[in-house]
Amino acid sequence: MAESSGSVKAQTRRQMLSEFWFYFSENTGAKIGLFVFIGLVLIAIFADVIAPHAANVQYRDALLVPPVWQEGGRWEYILGTDAVGRDMLSRLIYGSRFSLFIGCVVVAIAVTGGVTIGLIAGYFRGWVDMVIMRVMDVILAFPSLLLALVLVAILGPGLTNAMIAIAIVLQPHFVRLTRASVLNEINREYVTSARVAGAPPFYLMTRTILPNCLGPVTVQATLSFSNAILDAAALGFLGMGAQPPTPEWGTMLAEAREFILRAWWVVTFPGIAILITVLAINLMGDGLRDALDPKLKRT
Amino acid sequence: MLGFILKRIGLLIPTFIGITIVSFGFVRVLPGDPVLLMAGERGLTDERYAALLTEFGYDRPIWVQYFEYLRDLLSGDFGNSLVTKQPVLTEFFTLFPATVELSLCAIIIAICIGIPAGIIAASKRGTFLDQAIMGTALVGYSMPIFWLGLLLIIVFSGMLGWTPVSGRISLLYFFPADTGFMLIDSLRSGQKGAFASAVNHLILPSFMLATIPLAVIARQTRSAMLEVLGEDYVRTARAKGLAPARVVGVHALRNAMIPVITVIGLSVGTLLAGAILTETIFSWPGIGKWMVDSIFRRDYPVVQSGLLLIAVMVMIVNLLVDMTYGLINPRIRHT
C-alpha cells in the first residue's frame, strides 16, 4: 500500500516536471538563458582550470595591454590587461564566482526570511500582520540602492555586508508575495479539511499552504537573483561592496573608471559579463513565469 | 473621492512614523560614539564632549530624544551639515531641482519611446519586430546602468566629442539659478548658447537614467495591450469597421494605460536609486550624488535627514499616483 502510494507520488512528480519542462522549453529565450547560466556555473566551478592566469598576479611588463585583436595585443592576454598588469580574462572568469555566490546567498537569505515572515503575517492576520506589513512598507519607502548604501555604511563596506544589505532590501517583496498567496489559499477547502483533520498550525503553514504558494515565489526569486547581482555590482562600483583587489565585476569597473577614455577594454568587458549574466537569468525568469503561472498558461 | 484621499493619507501615517524611526535610529546604530559621529570634531576635551552630549540630548532617555527629534522635524529643523555647516533642508532644496530635472527628462524619454514601442510590439505580436523590441527591452532591463553610463561617455564624449563628460552647464555661462532648473534658467538668462549647453549636458545622464523605466514601460504596455486587444469591446470596435489605428489608439490604448500609469508611478523609486549612480558618474549636482558624497564624508546629519526627506518624497509621489489611479479608475475608489 505504502509502496504504491509512493510510486503514485513519484509518477505525479515526474508528470509535473515534464509539464513544467514542456512550458519552459516552449520559450526559446528561456532555453538560451538556461544554457548560458549553466555555462556560467561551469566557468565559476572550474575557474582554476580555465583561467590562464591567477586573478591577482600583476605582470609589470604588461600594463594596459589591449585585447589580442587590437594593435599591440598579445595572445597571453586575450582580453588585455588592466592598469596594474592583471589579466582581464582571468579576472572576469574568477569574477563569475562572486556574482553567482552573491546571487545565491542574497536570494537564500531574502527568500527564507521573506517567506517565513510572509507566512506568519498571512496565517495569523490581526495585529501581527499589521505590524509586519507596516515595517515592510517602511523598508519599501526607501529607494533600494540608497537603503543598501546606508546599511553598508552602518555595517562597514565589504562583500558580506553588501550581501546582507541587499537581502534586507529585497526581502519585503517576498513577504508581500507570500502573504498574498497565503491569503488566497487559506480559505480553500483543502486547507479547511486539513485543519478539521487536526493538523497543527505549523504543519498547516509549512506542509499544506506553503507548497501552493511557491510558484510566484520562485519567479520572484529569479528576478531577485539578477537584482542582487546588479545591486552588488553597483555597490562595488560605488566602493561600498567587495573591496579591491577582489575580482568582483562592479569593483573592477570602479577601478577602471579613470581609464575610460584611454583603455576601453578595462571598462567594457566587466560590464558585458554583468549584462550577460543578468540577461540569462532574466530570460530564465520569463520562462519560469510562463511555466509556473497557471493564469498566463491558458492565454 | 475625498474619503478615498483621506483614507490613503491615513494609511501613510504609520509609514511616516516608521521612516522617522529609521532615520532617528540610524545614527544610534552606527558603530562608534554618536556624539563623536555627529560632532565631526577630533580631539574633543571632556568639557566639550559633555557640552555636546547635552546639546545633542544623548544623555536623556531614548524616547524623549525621539520625541524631540520629531518636534524638530515638524518645526523644519533637520540639522546642519558637518562639512558645509549649512542647514540640511536648505541644501536639499538647492540640489533637489537638479535631480527633478534629470528624472523628469528621463521619464519623458522613457514614456515617449516606451509606450509607442510597447504598442507596436503588441499590435505586431509574434513578428520579428515584436521580438526585436522585446529583446531590446529585456537587454535594457538587465543593464547595469552605471556601465551604460561609462560606455556613453566613451562613445559620445571620448570618441565623437559630442557631449561633455560632467556637470549641468558649461563654465562659460553664469546666471542666477532662480528656479534651480537649468533648462528654464538658461532660457531666461537670454545668453546665447546657454540653453543648448544645458541640453547637451542633460542628454547622456537622462538617457542613462531612462533605460530601466523605458524597458519596464515597454514591457508593461505590450502586455497590457495584448490583454485589452483580446476583449469583446475591441472586437466590437473592429467589427464596426473602424480603422485599425483608431481601434488600437483609442479603444484599446485608453484601457491599457491604467497598469502602465501604475508602472510609471512606481518607477519613481527606481529613478531615485538610479539617480544615485547617474549623478555619481556624470558629477551631476543633485541629491543622489549629495547622499553618496555625504556617506563617504561621514557627514551623518546629512545622511540621516537626506534619507528621511527622500523617503517622504517617494511616499508623496506614491500617494499622488494612487490618487491619479483613483481618478482614472473609479472602481478602485470604492474598494
Side-chain angles (χ1 to χ4, degrees), chain B residues 22 27 48 71 109-110 145 180 185 284-285:
Chain B
V22 170
V27 180
R48 177 81 180 127
R71 194 195 60 206
I109 294 177
I145 57 163
D185 287 342
W284 189 266

Side-chain angles (χ1 to χ4, degrees), chain A residues 134 138 141-142 145-146 150 154 230 233-234 237-238 240 253 257 260-261 267-268 271-272 274-275 278-279 282-283 286, chain B residues 14-15 18 26 30-31 138 141-142 144 146-147 150 153-154 158 219 273 276-277 280-281 295-296 307 310-311 314:
Chain A
R134 291 296 82 75
V138 172
F142 296 98
L145 187 63
L146 180 64
V150 170
I154 295 174
L230 280 177
F237 179 71
L238 292 172
M240 284 291 192
L253 277 173
R257 256 186 88 181
I260 63 173
L261 295 179
V267 179
T268 314
I272 293 180
I274 301 173
L275 179 60
V278 174
L279 192 58
N282 283 342
L283 280 169
D286 275 2
Chain B
T15 317
F26 163 70
L30 276 171
L138 193 67
Y141 182 68
S142 312
F146 50 98
W147 175 66
L150 295 178
I153 291 179
I154 292 183
R219 279 163 66 107
I276 294 172
L277 293 166
T280 306
I281 287 177
I295 289 173
F296 277 104
L307 202 58
I310 291 174
V314 173

Side-chain angles (χ1 to χ4, degrees), chain B residues 63-84:
Chain B
W63 60 271
V64 176
Q65 290 180 37
Y66 174 70
F67 281 108
E68 281 183 356
Y69 173 69
L70 215 54
R71 194 195 60 206
D72 286 348
L73 287 185
L74 294 177
S75 61
D77 176 10
F78 286 72
N80 291 334
S81 158
L82 296 179
V83 179
T84 61

Side-chain angles (χ1 to χ4, degrees), chain B residues 125-326:
Chain B
R125 186 186 186 177
T127 61
F128 174 74
L129 194 62
D130 176 24
Q131 285 172 349
I133 291 175
M134 283 304 108
T136 316
L138 193 67
V139 172
Y141 182 68
S142 312
M143 185 69 76
I145 57 163
F146 50 98
W147 175 66
L148 179 70
L150 295 178
L151 284 192
L152 291 174
I153 291 179
I154 292 183
V155 175
F156 291 99
S157 307
M159 292 180 179
L160 301 169
W162 288 355
T163 52
V165 179
S166 64
R168 292 180 76 188
I169 194 157
S170 163
L171 294 172
L172 296 171
Y173 305 100
F174 184 78
F175 42 80
D178 294 333
T179 60
F181 292 90
M182 197 54 86
L183 291 179
I184 300 174
D185 287 342
S186 63
L187 260 186
R188 284 181 24 170
S189 77
Q191 293 181 30
K192 212 179 153 207
F195 182 71
S197 170
V199 171
N200 222 359
H201 280 79
L202 191 58
I203 290 178
L204 289 191
S206 44
F207 190 77
M208 167 182 165
L209 190 54
T211 311
I212 291 179
L214 197 163
V216 174
I217 289 173
R219 279 163 66 107
Q220 183 66 55
T221 308
R222 178 181 181 269
S223 68
M225 284 298 284
L226 284 181
E227 207 160 284
V228 172
L229 285 175
E231 296 281 340
D232 288 342
Y233 59 83
V234 171
R235 209 172 32 191
T236 312
R238 282 222 169 99
K240 278 199 303 193
L242 291 180
R246 199 178 152 75
V247 176
V248 173
V250 178
H251 292 249
L253 187 61
R254 199 179 284 171
N255 289 290
M257 274 304 102
I258 294 174
V260 176
I261 288 173
T262 320
V263 164
I264 295 172
L266 288 177
S267 61
V268 172
T270 321
L271 279 175
L272 279 171
I276 294 172
L277 293 166
T278 314
E279 292 178 0
T280 306
I281 287 177
F282 287 96
S283 303
W284 189 266
I287 48 170
K289 185 170 185 302
W290 178 59
M291 286 300 283
V292 173
D293 290 346
S294 304
I295 289 173
F296 277 104
R297 289 194 296 230
R298 301 182 182 276
D299 193 347
Y300 291 121
V302 170
V303 179
Q304 181 181 31
S305 300
L307 202 58
L308 178 92
L309 287 165
I310 291 174
V312 170
M313 286 294 161
V314 173
M315 225 170 67
I316 293 173
V317 174
N318 284 343
L319 177 71
L320 292 177
V321 172
D322 262 1
M323 287 181 190
T324 328
Y325 206 41

